[in-house]
Amino acid sequence: MDLYSAAKRMARPFRFSNPASHREVPLAGRGVIGDGITCALVRPDGVIDWLCFPRFDSPSVFAGILDEEKGGITGILPVVWPFESLQRYDPDTNVLETLFRFERKGVVRIIDYMPWTNDPRSTVHEVHRRIECLEGAVELNVVFDPRFGYGASETRVEREEHGLVARGARGERMVAVLSGEADWRPCHELKGQPCRGESGLQTRIRLGAGERRWMVLSWDSDRPEPISAYRPFDHLRDTRQAWREWSQRLRYEGPWRHHVLRSALVLKLLMYGPTGAMVAAPTTSLPEWMGGPRNWDYRFSWVRDSAMAVRATNLMGFLGESREFFYFVRDTLQRGDPLQVMYTLDGGTVPPEQELPHLAGFQGSRPVRIGNGARDQFQFDTAGALLDAAYLYERFGGRLPLRTWRLLRSVIQTTARRWREPDHGIWEPRREMRHNVHSKLMGWLALRRGEHLSRLFGETELEKACTDLADVIRTDILRNGVDPARKHFVGTYGGNEPDASLLLLPIVGCFRAQDPFILRTIDWLRHELGTGPFLRRYRMDDGVGGPEGGFILCGFWLAEALALANRIDEAEDVFVAHAEASNHLGLLAEEISPLTREQLGNFPQAFSHLGLISAAARIDRALRLRDEGQTEPPHLLEPEPPPIE
């Protein structure tokens, strides 16, 4: 069996019938490559249509995903249509392979990667692309059409002896080098050109069976070098080896190991190596509903994401990454800054939100935004996320120095002082603050974790104060966070609106999942927010407007809550539906259309992959307990909570 036929048995091929077929590629119909500093998205037709250099939150170099005319791309595309395409990752790596097959017999393989060694000091800020003809003879168009500054900065591409150099009006520089002969011409001089405007250049190459070419894109280089100077073959070998060595550290051996490992690899790609920060996603403004206004910049690091990452990486055995996630948030506090919702990759203040009106948005979904206005919100759950991260870090063998404890103690004291205040909540609505049950829950969690940490440092008075106040908050939730008929919990005090974050009430250990009150809450949420196995976040006016899809993280929370309730078959059904909703490479966006199963929102999304890992671990433990004849809830680290009286 040939390589293409073997790959086709593992994945659904994309069919490209004409030069405009790329418009049919869905939002999540892409692979991602990265180097621990930034990421690029690669379409199955060989086009890179999203890349920010030199780091995640830098202005884009290629943003064709947000505007086909103005965003810019680089690509290796077939000249002849129709053709089929398959993508897969080299096993246990983030090295991406794309296979083209033509009806007139011909197979081409493109290998895309960014050189990576797990050492942020050795990053070379390059994209390497190997082009190899496996069968027959083929023609390909090679395109280099960067647009600096989100497509707003003037970009000039010039030919030099060994390749091309692009220069921007603000000093940006990038080179493209193609091995072998290349006759670079303006795009409009070749038929079926895939790039737009006057600046891009394109060349046509012909390959026979066994022939190979390399293309290298290098940032901040002023002059192209011969292809041998970039050592692409050495980098490919080293990158494969580094990813495989890293993957071998995975400790999860449950039934969904493939999905868990791919999620781990995605999370590692989203980790900014120099500081340990994790971006929520490497993209901005990919819509939560096509044509709608829910388009946000996620290229920053949220405290709650880092706390979830500490838990997930510890569960998988990646203790070094867990340490780095925790250190990032700790170090931002040590600079004297107050606890914020989110940070830049180096721990600074997130820039103010602004719109880019010159970009059309993905499939016309405007506005395109950079920066994030939620930076100014008060989200009380952040304190709980931070204390939970510290607790988990210590439980898995980390050592908390006295200086760190003093910072954590100040967060505990702030929690004790402010827990009765309203806040914006986890979902960052653009409306007034309210008393969100989830925020009260995370205040409870902050004090429970503070209780444990106070004991470690011998502060018995603070330990007792944390215990007493945690009980007060739990009682307050039971008194004020329920519906008028007192049958289930609700999203806000005094309201009757469903909120999927209520699923965390049993997950973090505040209430027993098998308590009838919690079981009714789970069933009510599924009825009010669910479509099949998928859940929306809430049903309220959030001040943004427009519809949105099912939130993938909430679906994994549902699977966890069902597993805790010993409804294991239901938990498996929900988990599998979400895991199988991943794209052809196992990648997940933020949301999903419950009816069409089309992924929506920024991509790939850390929240979604963190949720998959935690749910897989929870269900795996539940299955093992069931096989052993035990009926206790499958808690991972939390003690059994008291019953609801």
Side-chain angles (χ1 to χ4, degrees), residues 86-293:
L86 285 171
Q87 284 186 315
R88 70 162 194 168
Y89 281 109
D90 198 348
D92 300 342
T93 78
N94 281 310
V95 176
L96 182 66
E97 296 186 4
T98 304
L99 288 169
F100 299 146
R101 187 177 187 182
F102 305 91
E103 291 185 354
R104 297 178 182 176
K105 190 150 176 137
V107 177
V108 170
R109 174 169 58 190
I110 301 172
I111 296 178
D112 286 307
Y113 69 98
M114 299 179 73
W116 183 81
T117 62
N118 205 18
D119 181 356
R121 296 168 297 180
S122 66
T123 300
V124 295
H125 298 311
E126 292 175 355
V127 174
H128 290 201
R129 317 194 74 186
R130 190 176 81 174
I131 316 157
E132 182 180 13
C133 181
L134 302 178
E135 296 179 17
V138 298
E139 283 189 308
L140 301 167
N141 285 332
V142 181
V143 178
F144 183 60
D145 186 22
R147 310 289 180 86
F148 296 126
Y150 302 106
S153 178
E154 180 183 353
T155 305
R156 294 178 293 108
V157 181
E158 300 172 347
R159 306 173 185 86
E160 295 199 1
E161 179 181 2
H162 297 294
L164 308 176
V165 59
R167 295 183 176 89
R170 299 180 180 178
E172 305 98 328
R173 298 175 301 178
M174 186 179 193
V175 304
V177 177
L178 182 67
S179 63
E181 297 296 324
D183 180 18
W184 293 100
R185 300 182 183 182
C187 290
H188 61 80
E189 293 186 11
L190 290 174
K191 294 181 180 180
Q193 70 273 16
C195 60
R196 313 291 182 184
E198 300 298 325
S199 62
L201 297 180
Q202 179 170 288
T203 188
R204 183 162 295 173
I205 62 175
R206 295 171 177 81
L207 295 175
E211 292 185 319
R212 180 183 300 165
R213 305 280 291 267
W214 285 91
M215 185 179 186
V216 173
L217 310 177
S218 182
W219 176 255
D220 207 24
S221 298
D222 200 30
R223 178 169 297 177
E225 303 279 350
I227 199 72
S228 59
Y230 299 95
R231 300 172 43 243
F233 181 80
D234 291 337
H235 279 305
L236 176 57
R237 180 188 58 201
D238 294 344
T239 299
R240 280 175 169 152
Q241 179 180 348
W243 281 120
R244 286 172 179 153
E245 289 177 350
W246 186 86
S247 296
Q248 287 174 3
R249 292 157 51 193
L250 178 68
R251 282 203 311 231
Y252 176 86
E253 296 297 340
W256 302 289
R257 192 177 190 280
H258 168 75
H259 288 290
V260 169
L261 177 56
R262 180 49 53 195
S263 291
L265 286 162
V266 171
L267 295 178
K268 185 63 175 176
L269 278 184
L270 300 184
M271 183 176 177
Y272 181 66
T275 65
M278 184 180 67
V279 294
T283 56
T284 180
S285 301
L286 297 183
E288 296 172 11
W289 198 264
M290 295 303 170

Side-chain angles (χ1 to χ4, degrees), residues 203-502:
T203 188
R204 183 162 295 173
I205 62 175
R206 295 171 177 81
L207 295 175
E211 292 185 319
R212 180 183 300 165
R213 305 280 291 267
W214 285 91
M215 185 179 186
V216 173
L217 310 177
S218 182
W219 176 255
D220 207 24
S221 298
D222 200 30
R223 178 169 297 177
E225 303 279 350
I227 199 72
S228 59
Y230 299 95
R231 300 172 43 243
F233 181 80
D234 291 337
H235 279 305
L236 176 57
R237 180 188 58 201
D238 294 344
T239 299
R240 280 175 169 152
Q241 179 180 348
W243 281 120
R244 286 172 179 153
E245 289 177 350
W246 186 86
S247 296
Q248 287 174 3
R249 292 157 51 193
L250 178 68
R251 282 203 311 231
Y252 176 86
E253 296 297 340
W256 302 289
R257 192 177 190 280
H258 168 75
H259 288 290
V260 169
L261 177 56
R262 180 49 53 195
S263 291
L265 286 162
V266 171
L267 295 178
K268 185 63 175 176
L269 278 184
L270 300 184
M271 183 176 177
Y272 181 66
T275 65
M278 184 180 67
V279 294
T283 56
T284 180
S285 301
L286 297 183
E288 296 172 11
W289 198 264
M290 295 303 170
R294 297 177 178 274
N295 317 314
W296 315 107
D297 192 349
Y298 277 10
R299 297 171 299 155
F300 309 110
S301 185
W302 273 252
V303 173
R304 73 173 65 90
D305 292 33
S306 295
M308 289 180 63
V310 170
R311 175 179 292 269
T313 49
N314 275 315
L315 290 174
M316 293 184 297
F318 296 110
L319 303 184
E321 283 67 28
S322 173
R323 181 180 63 248
E324 294 302 319
F325 289 138
F326 177 69
Y327 282 179
F328 168 71
V329 181
R330 180 206 65 184
D331 292 346
T332 60
L333 291 176
Q334 287 181 346
R335 291 201 300 267
D337 299 334
L339 186 61
Q340 300 175 30
V341 174
M342 66 186 82
Y343 297 90
T344 61
L345 302 177
D346 47 14
T349 301
V350 170
E353 190 171 286
Q354 60 177 303
E355 297 181 3
L356 302 180
H358 66 282
L359 294 178
F362 183 84
Q363 295 187 7
S365 301
R366 283 178 166 167
V368 171
R369 296 181 175 97
I370 57 174
N372 199 302
R375 69 176 195 154
D376 299 319
Q377 290 190 352
F378 173 48
Q379 298 177 23
F380 191 71
D381 68 301
T382 302
L386 174 61
L387 268 299
D388 190 46
Y391 165 82
L392 293 168
Y393 171 71
E394 188 276 332
R395 282 289 302 273
F396 280 96
R399 305 185 71 176
L400 296 172
L402 183 60
R403 184 181 181 187
T404 300
W405 164 240
R406 288 169 178 161
L407 295 168
L408 297 172
R409 183 173 56 190
S410 70
V411 176
I412 295 170
Q413 292 166 341
T414 300
T415 301
R417 187 174 66 252
R418 301 191 64 180
W419 74 270
R420 292 186 183 275
E421 298 179 21
D423 77 327
H424 289 97
I426 184 176
W427 305 129
E428 302 178 352
R430 304 296 174 100
R431 53 171 293 173
E432 75 279 359
M433 293 188 288
R434 304 195 296 179
H435 290 280
N436 296 284
V437 170
H438 172 261
S439 299
K440 308 299 183 187
L441 170 68
M442 296 306 284
W444 172 88
L445 183 64
L447 292 165
R448 286 302 305 269
R449 299 316 191 216
E451 174 188 347
H452 173 82
L453 297 173
S454 298
R455 189 181 312 119
L456 289 179
F457 285 89
E459 299 206 20
T460 55
E461 290 186 9
L462 182 58
E463 178 188 353
K464 184 178 186 307
C466 287
T467 302
D468 293 344
L469 189 51
D471 290 341
V472 169
I473 295 177
R474 186 177 186 273
T475 300
D476 195 70
I477 293 172
L478 278 169
R479 179 183 301 117
N480 299 302
V482 298
D483 71 305
R486 303 196 64 80
K487 291 184 177 180
H488 53 74
F489 289 101
V490 293
T492 58
Y493 282 13
N496 196 25
E497 297 170 338
D499 187 322
S501 65
L502 295 172

Side-chain angles (χ1 to χ4, degrees), residues 38-113:
T38 190
C39 283
L41 298 185
V42 186
R43 289 196 321 234
D45 61 351
V47 166
I48 294 175
D49 62 0
W50 180 254
L51 173 62
C52 298
F53 256 152
R55 54 187 238 176
F56 293 104
D57 56 353
S58 299
S60 63
V61 175
F62 306 117
I65 194 171
L66 294 177
D67 193 304
E68 186 177 293
E69 298 287 335
K70 300 176 182 177
I73 64 164
T74 186
I76 301 167
L77 301 101
V79 173
V80 177
W81 289 271
F83 67 94
E84 282 188 341
S85 172
L86 285 171
Q87 284 186 315
R88 70 162 194 168
Y89 281 109
D90 198 348
D92 300 342
T93 78
N94 281 310
V95 176
L96 182 66
E97 296 186 4
T98 304
L99 288 169
F100 299 146
R101 187 177 187 182
F102 305 91
E103 291 185 354
R104 297 178 182 176
K105 190 150 176 137
V107 177
V108 170
R109 174 169 58 190
I110 301 172
I111 296 178
D112 286 307
Y113 69 98

